[in-house]
Amino acid sequence: MSNSLFERLGGQDAVNAAVELFYRKVLADDRINRFFQGVDMDRQAAKQKAFLTMAFGGPNNYSGEDMRKGHAHLVEQGLDDSHFDAVVENLGSTLTELGIPDDLISEVVAICETTRDDVLCR
Amino acid sequence: MTKIHFENQSYLLEPGESVLDCLIRQGVAVEYGCKSGGCQSCKMKVVAGTPTEQSQTGLDDSAREKNYFLPCICVPEQDMKVARPDAVSRDKLETEVLALDMLNHEVLRLRLQRPDNYDYFPGQFLNLYNPEGVGRAYSIASQAEESFLELHIRHVPNGKVSGWANTRLETGDRVIISSAAGDCFYVSGKPEQPLLMIGTGTGLAPLFGILRDALRQNHNGEIHLYHGSSVIEGLYMVDEMRAMADRVENFHYYPCVGQDSVPKGIFSVRENQKALADWSDLSGWRVYLCGHEEMVISTKEKTFLAGASLSDIYSDPFVSAA
């Protein structure tokens, strides 16, 4: 298996297929949707696209510093591990719905985990 | 060698280099994110030349129609002139007032001579300037083939432009307008797609423009237009819209008012509530939302959650100013 995770998932097309499903789940999830209130939806969808590209192992410019800056105001509002877990759970169920095999989903979740401390500003 | 023209400078592309990489290499301050066609944060507009097909993948239809492209995945073979996406033209044009009519007690229908070569899509907006040079944005309700530009102007209390337009303007006066801008308009290509239009107040102006543009381009999917106001006096063009719904088989019109007792034929419910109750599954639909800012923003989320794709939701929130 020499192909990258990003290629095995289906590349940018897979990201495009996932982004709206994922965003809908997040907005409908009462555990976390308050963090998305009053946010411009198009801009948020673009950010989620960039996030999914990163989580899928695709080309990205994310740095730990970006993650911290982007989430600091949410941490002040109480963002914690339980919310991070909820987002990852929504991402997992999105990928399951798209027919992505479990072993690939595990790889995606592992990439998400590498951002946890930065997202939560620890 | 291929050249990129950007903000009065020319830049030479290295072989195989993307437009974005070229600009970054030359130290131009541009926004970007993923550099791989995903996040769209580097989106720009082609002013002259043609964007490569690949550089428009993932953009929504209205962006494509307006020649937007993604410079990070654009390796052009011909010279291009490009601009930042929000570089809305500030040019001002003088034109003449052709007609003024009241559509209800507070909404003025202003018809202006369409300046020569004035390009627009019905549903876009233009700025109208009062004699002091204060501008306000109004949506365009007229059609591409009409010789006039039609605006619906609600008389806002102490409105600097609407007050002047409603009380001082006369037929034959000369006024200043800007060129047209905005993303909320009809895009051809999916004539069978069901359309949901929801508007409050003068949100009917862009919807009326978009509706007739859709019909002119032979849109054959069902079109449902919900027009609402908090009070019955706020509705307008009710008879005209009803007549159109009688005449056009795939067009349906729902006048809505947030009051308990309403005349026959008017729905006693807010327009967005009725629309969302009537259509719980909007997957595959195209949605147009125009008018009151909070209505537009909250309905955008609700229609998205009901299944409409974000790239199929066109919205124009009106920000009210005196």
Side-chain angles (χ1 to χ4, degrees):
Chain A
M1 192 70 80
S2 59
N3 286 351
S4 71
L5 174 64
F6 191 58
E7 285 167 20
R8 281 179 286 146
L9 283 165
Q12 199 61 51
D13 288 345
V15 172
N16 292 345
V19 68
E20 291 208 346
L21 267 182
F22 173 60
Y23 190 12
R24 246 178 229 122
K25 284 183 194 294
V26 166
L27 280 180
D29 187 337
D30 288 333
R31 293 175 296 176
I32 46 178
N33 52 15
R34 67 183 171 97
F35 295 109
F36 295 88
Q37 266 165 18
V39 176
D40 180 275
M41 291 181 72
D42 297 301
R43 221 174 286 169
Q44 183 60 27
K47 280 186 191 162
Q48 298 203 353
K49 217 166 171 182
F51 163 69
L52 290 182
T53 305
M54 188 271 306
F56 284 20
N60 71 87
N61 279 320
Y62 265 113
S63 69
E65 200 49 41
D66 291 337
M67 286 286 179
R68 286 168 182 273
K69 265 191 214 152
H71 294 90
H73 66 292
L74 300 177
V75 172
E76 270 170 36
Q77 292 168 37
L79 188 81
D80 63 23
D81 282 297
S82 71
H83 306 117
F84 189 92
D85 293 341
V87 169
V88 174
E89 183 189 313
N90 281 308
L91 178 55
S93 62
T94 301
L95 299 180
T96 303
E97 212 170 295
L98 289 170
I100 307 281
D102 287 346
D103 56 325
L104 292 188
I105 296 179
S106 302
E107 289 191 51
V108 171
V109 168
I111 294 179
C112 289
E113 282 301 333
T114 65
T115 70
R116 182 187 289 263
D117 284 350
D118 283 325
V119 167
L120 298 177
C121 298
R122 292 193 293 228
Chain B
M1 278 176 98
T2 315
K3 270 200 286 268
I4 297 299
H5 304 277
F6 178 68
E7 296 184 344
N8 302 319
Q9 298 271 348
S10 295
Y11 303 98
L12 273 181
L13 282 158
E14 303 275 346
E17 190 175 43
S18 74
V19 173
L20 179 67
D21 282 336
C22 171
L23 293 174
I24 293 171
R25 178 171 55 79
Q26 315 252 12
V28 182
V30 284
E31 270 192 48
Y32 62 92
C34 74
K35 292 177 80 177
S36 57
C39 74
Q40 301 191 1
S41 46
C42 64
K43 188 168 74 178
M44 283 189 180
K45 187 174 184 170
V46 178
V47 184
T50 318
T52 61
E53 199 181 318
Q54 201 221 349
S55 71
Q56 292 189 304
T57 48
L59 292 180
D60 60 38
D61 293 341
S62 68
R64 225 173 291 183
E65 196 114 330
K66 291 200 309 185
N67 267 332
Y68 282 5
F69 77 112
L70 301 174
C72 67
I73 52 169
C74 182
V75 181
E77 285 168 3
Q78 287 164 350
D79 292 1
M80 289 165 87
K81 185 174 179 189
V82 303
R84 294 182 200 270
D86 50 0
V88 175
S89 159
R90 298 238 164 251
D91 49 333
K92 296 186 175 180
L93 304 148
E94 192 181 286
T95 187
E96 184 184 331
V97 175
L98 296 179
L100 305 121
D101 305 280
M102 294 308 287
L103 293 168
N104 66 14
H105 70 289
E106 59 179 2
V107 176
L108 167 74
R109 185 177 68 189
L110 176 64
R111 285 186 172 167
L112 302 171
Q113 178 66 43
R114 179 183 179 171
D116 289 341
N117 305 316
Y118 190 90
D119 281 326
Y120 72 98
F121 298 102
Q124 284 191 301
F125 58 84
L126 57 76
N127 283 307
L128 172 68
Y129 297 91
N130 73 8
E132 284 77 50
V134 178
R136 293 285 181 264
Y138 296 101
S139 299
I140 311 175
S142 46
Q143 290 302 291
E145 74 274 15
E146 286 167 333
S147 61
F148 56 84
L149 299 170
E150 177 173 318
L151 313 176
H152 299 173
I153 302 177
R154 184 174 75 88
H155 193 161
V156 177
N158 303 316
K160 291 191 174 70
V161 176
S162 66
W164 157 76
N166 271 275
T167 58
R168 313 287 281 281
L169 265 190
E170 289 175 16
T171 308
D173 283 353
R174 309 289 295 176
V175 296
I176 306 291
I177 59 172
S178 72
S179 55
D183 302 325
C184 192
F185 55 84
Y186 182 77
V187 177
S188 56
K190 290 177 189 157
E192 72 298 332
Q193 196 174 27
L195 306 187
L196 179 61
M197 302 181 154
I198 307 176
T200 58
T202 51
L204 185 61
L207 295 180
F208 185 56
I210 294 162
L211 163 68
R212 291 191 302 152
D213 198 31
L215 295 173
R216 182 183 65 86
Q217 299 192 53
N218 299 316
H219 192 91
N220 53 29
E222 299 295 316
I223 306 174
H224 300 273
L225 191 158
Y226 294 77
H227 184 214
S229 173
S230 52
V231 292
I232 186 79
E233 296 79 19
L235 293 178
Y236 63 89
M237 282 173 53
V238 176
D239 292 339
E240 184 170 352
M241 300 307 290
R242 276 193 185 131
M244 203 161 158
D246 286 342
R247 200 170 62 238
V248 180
E249 203 185 333
N250 59 332
F251 172 58
H252 314 274
Y253 167 64
Y254 312 84
C256 301
V257 169
Q259 284 174 315
D260 288 337
S261 65
V262 294
K264 196 167 171 289
I266 306 281
F267 297 96
S268 168
V269 57
R270 287 315 306 241
E271 64 299 318
N272 55 344
Q273 287 170 6
K274 175 159 177 60
L276 289 158
D278 288 353
W279 311 104
S280 55
D281 181 3
L282 294 173
S283 28
W285 286 58
R286 199 188 310 174
V287 179
Y288 290 94
L289 307 169
C290 303
H292 192 268
E293 190 179 15
E294 279 162 42
M295 184 285 287
V296 168
I297 290 170
S298 73
T299 311
K300 183 170 179 175
E301 179 172 329
K302 289 185 180 117
T303 51
F304 174 63
L305 287 174
S309 169
L310 270 185
S311 61
D312 277 327
I313 304 176
Y314 297 79
S315 62
D316 188 1
F318 292 0
V319 182
S320 167

